[in-house]
Amino acid sequence: MADLAVFARLARAQVRGQLSYRSSFVMNCFGQALAQANDLVVILIVFGRVASLGGFDISAVLLFYALSGMSFGLADMAVGSIERLPAYIRTGTFDVVLMRPLGTLLQLFASDFQLRRIGRVLTAFGVLVYVLSTSDIHWSPAKALLLVLTPVAGAAIFGSIFVAANSVSFWFVDARELANTVTYGGSYLTSYPINIYAGWMRTLLAYLVPGAFVAYYPGLTLLDHADPLGAPSWFGWLDTPVAVLAAVLAGLIWRSAVRHYRGTGS
Amino acid sequence: MSAVIGCYLRITLAGFHRYSTYRQAVLAGTATNVVFGLIKVGILTAVYLARDGASIGGYDLTTSITYVWLGQGLLGVVDFWSSDDLSERIRTGDVVVDLSRPWNMQAALLATDLGRAGYSAVARFIPQLLLGALLFPFRWPTDPLVAPAFLVSTVLAVLVSFHIRFLLDMTTFWLLDSRGVRGLYGVVSGTLAGLEIPLSYFPDWAQNALMLTPFPSMLQYPINVFVQDGSVLATLGQQLLWVLLLAAVGRLVLARAMRKVVVQGG
């Protein structure tokens, strides 16, 4: 708990610094919002050519997109700075991280906390509000709870993916881009209904890397839409347990990766 | 004369060698391109399933899948996102060293970039072309003349991309930091060049507007040449026009910037 308080203070300091360059911050924020809107434009163009995709109409796909975008944006903001890990390893500054009396992960998360990444979340949130206000969802208290839980659980899933995938850098320091296949690739994949992908790809990127629980299953439950792949509707509620499991696994992977680390001897 | 050409040729070879040393990074980058390609194939397959196979502006499913692997392979060759060190050298002032060398700086940087593109063509484009051709429905050209035309079109695409990146770096002379401009370009350039979905999926007004920009010249046009969509001569002519125009503007801007540069003694 005390560790989290230190993390919050470090992050706050970063944000204060970023906000002091007001116009640069606004520009960067806008850039992030635009990056997220880019994927939206692609979906809109596709739906200019088709009425449904994998049996889902545009509002369903936009719901997947919005839930996935919010989850990814929140995760990117909270833990995205772990992408700087290769630089730490190459220059030997990871030694310093190991010396300090604060968890290695929390230090990396706080090292480059970028508030501008909220731009992604805002675009996705705007689309979510639009979709929810235009499609007729039969609301119940349970569904309202699921709607609140989903982006948080999704962010935890993406955050775990960020940590687990970037652990690769301890073995292959130049192969940082490999992590992009499941982080940015995961965000791309989960913006669409997962039943459109080939079976082995779903196994790999939607279940083993649990992308299907970010937006697809919770979205189906919110919409009362039967799963074309045959999963029961309570699968939507699995997002939180899956997120907890993913976080534990990512923590274990990180721990064994850090053990593997040898300083550069500088 | 031949000595001058030999000098630039050697710079090109050096560029080729420089990029060939990052084997891990190239492998990781290619793996990332392949995963994104697989996701795109899934989305585009669903599009044609929803349309009962009806083609969109000359693109049927096989052409679209061919488009995916060509586009993913060309991405590394054309390079929208490289973090050029030129803008950093302008910011720090090191650029005056480059400017005082007995060469044409623009041509020398271009020579390096051609070396980089050549290495990417071997290490990233060809493997993905083979992967797409062997494992997926693939549309090989029916005319042997397509091969040289595609090569010319790809070289022109690299030239257009280089000259735009050069201009973006040049903005550093006035803005002192080109990260904002380059960031925005990085977000929109791919989609506008036809990386996410073929430009023929776009609404007509958007296609007409894009015809007036250099974006399609960087990706969609070489792909069109390969899949024999549209007139080859018109396509190459349009690309050549953009190369000449952008090169001239780049030269002009560099000349203007030179007048601004003040070398502090040292």
Side-chain angles (χ1 to χ4, degrees):
Chain A
M1 221 59 243
D3 281 6
L4 279 180
V6 176
F7 167 74
R9 284 178 77 157
L10 289 170
R12 242 198 335 266
Q14 297 257 355
V15 169
R16 250 204 322 275
Q18 288 155 23
L19 285 178
S20 63
Y21 298 94
R22 194 57 57 92
S23 58
S24 159
F25 174 77
V26 171
M27 270 270 284
N28 283 323
C29 218
F30 176 70
Q32 293 281 319
L34 201 67
Q36 185 67 31
N38 189 44
D39 300 344
L40 174 65
V41 169
V42 171
I43 292 175
L44 294 179
I45 292 172
V46 164
F47 273 95
R49 300 291 182 175
V50 296
S52 71
L53 207 61
F56 292 91
D57 63 5
I58 184 161
S59 64
V61 173
L62 286 182
L63 179 64
F64 297 142
Y65 158 85
L67 292 175
S68 159
M70 281 183 70
S71 304
F72 182 80
L74 288 170
D76 192 24
M77 189 163 68
V79 310
S81 56
I82 197 166
E83 292 194 325
R84 287 162 37 122
L85 178 63
Y88 278 83
I89 295 173
R90 192 180 297 116
T91 57
T93 26
F94 196 73
D95 294 359
V96 182
V97 174
L98 286 171
M99 302 273 287
R100 294 201 194 106
L102 182 64
T104 47
L105 272 180
L106 281 184
Q107 285 187 60
L108 286 173
F109 295 163
S111 69
D112 187 32
F113 185 87
Q114 291 287 353
L115 188 63
R116 66 184 156 95
R117 289 173 177 147
I118 197 104
R120 265 182 189 281
V121 183
L122 290 178
T123 305
F125 183 70
V127 173
L128 184 68
V129 170
Y130 171 78
V131 173
L132 294 180
S133 61
T134 52
S135 51
D136 50 357
I137 292 173
H138 304 290
W139 286 107
S140 64
K143 275 192 192 174
L145 176 66
L146 182 63
L147 180 66
V148 177
L149 281 179
T150 298
V152 180
I157 291 175
F158 269 127
S160 310
I161 294 174
F162 262 107
V163 171
N166 278 287
S167 300
V168 171
S169 296
F170 282 105
W171 284 274
F172 305 104
V173 76
D174 275 335
R176 192 189 76 77
E177 257 200 271
L178 217 49
N180 292 358
T181 55
V182 281
T183 53
Y184 295 91
S187 149
Y188 183 31
L189 177 107
T190 53
S191 301
Y192 290 85
I194 61 146
N195 63 319
I196 64 174
Y197 304 112
W200 63 269
M201 238 172 89
R202 264 199 319 262
T203 310
L204 218 64
L205 293 171
Y207 301 115
L208 203 63
V209 176
F213 298 91
V214 168
Y216 182 71
Y217 286 126
L220 287 178
T221 307
L222 286 173
L223 293 168
D224 291 312
H225 195 298
D227 179 14
L229 301 168
S233 77
W234 54 263
F235 253 55
W237 288 92
L238 286 181
D239 60 350
T240 313
V242 165
V244 172
L245 189 69
V248 170
L249 277 175
L252 290 175
I253 291 173
W254 177 259
R255 194 171 278 221
S256 71
V258 169
R259 267 203 213 117
H260 179 84
Y261 172 76
R262 298 274 176 276
T264 50
S266 51
Chain B
M1 187 64 198
S2 71
V4 172
I5 292 174
C7 158
Y8 288 108
L9 207 63
R10 238 172 275 162
I11 296 175
T12 301
L13 281 177
F16 189 96
H17 278 295
R18 176 175 159 198
Y19 284 89
S20 66
T21 49
Y22 302 113
R23 294 243 171 85
Q24 266 184 25
V26 167
L27 218 64
T30 309
T32 308
N33 289 157
V34 168
V35 170
F36 273 81
L38 289 170
I39 297 173
K40 269 180 218 176
V41 167
I43 295 168
L44 293 179
T45 307
V47 166
Y48 287 94
L49 212 62
R51 290 174 59 88
D52 291 322
S55 64
I56 304 172
Y59 271 68
D60 59 8
L61 179 58
T62 306
T63 313
S64 296
I65 291 176
T66 309
Y67 147 91
V68 168
W69 296 115
L70 290 173
Q72 292 304 101
L74 283 176
L75 181 56
V77 180
V78 173
D79 191 6
F80 296 104
W81 302 313
S82 81
S83 49
D84 257 327
D85 32 37
L86 173 60
S87 103
E88 187 58 21
R89 291 179 70 79
I90 296 173
R91 203 181 62 76
T92 57
D94 290 343
V95 73
V96 294
V97 179
D98 304 331
L99 287 170
S100 54
R101 288 199 172 113
W103 64 9
N104 178 331
M105 187 180 80
Q106 193 183 4
L109 288 170
L110 175 60
T112 312
D113 204 52
L114 284 176
R116 179 201 57 74
Y119 180 71
S120 283
V122 175
R124 297 182 75 157
F125 175 75
I126 291 176
Q128 291 192 73
L129 179 78
L130 293 179
L131 178 99
L134 292 177
L135 300 182
F136 293 88
F138 198 81
R139 187 181 154 156
W140 285 106
T142 48
D143 185 344
L145 279 179
V146 166
F150 175 69
L151 185 68
V152 172
S153 183
T154 302
V155 171
L156 289 172
V158 174
L159 292 175
V160 171
S161 169
F162 166 79
H163 284 301
I164 293 181
R165 278 182 278 124
F166 182 77
L167 279 171
L168 294 177
D169 285 335
M170 282 292 113
T171 61
T172 316
F173 276 116
W174 287 271
L175 301 177
L176 299 180
D177 186 358
S178 68
R179 265 178 301 183
V181 189
R182 292 216 324 261
L184 287 184
Y185 175 75
V187 168
V188 298
S189 56
T191 307
L192 297 183
L195 175 66
E196 300 294 337
I197 41 172
L199 293 186
S200 57
Y201 288 29
F202 282 48
D204 287 335
W205 61 266
Q207 288 186 47
N208 291 335
L210 281 173
M211 284 267 283
L212 303 173
T213 71
F215 292 107
S217 293
M218 291 187 280
L219 203 74
Q220 186 68 59
Y221 286 173
I223 295 174
N224 282 354
V225 168
F226 191 98
V227 301
Q228 295 167 291
D229 185 34
S231 147
V232 175
L233 283 182
T235 306
L236 295 181
Q238 213 173 328
Q239 286 183 293
L240 185 65
L241 224 62
W242 277 113
V243 171
L244 296 175
L245 185 71
L246 289 164
V249 174
R251 215 186 151 85
L252 213 70
V253 171
L254 179 61
R256 284 297 288 267
M258 293 272 272
R259 262 188 274 160
K260 245 182 82 75
V261 173
V262 178
V263 180
Q264 311 274 3

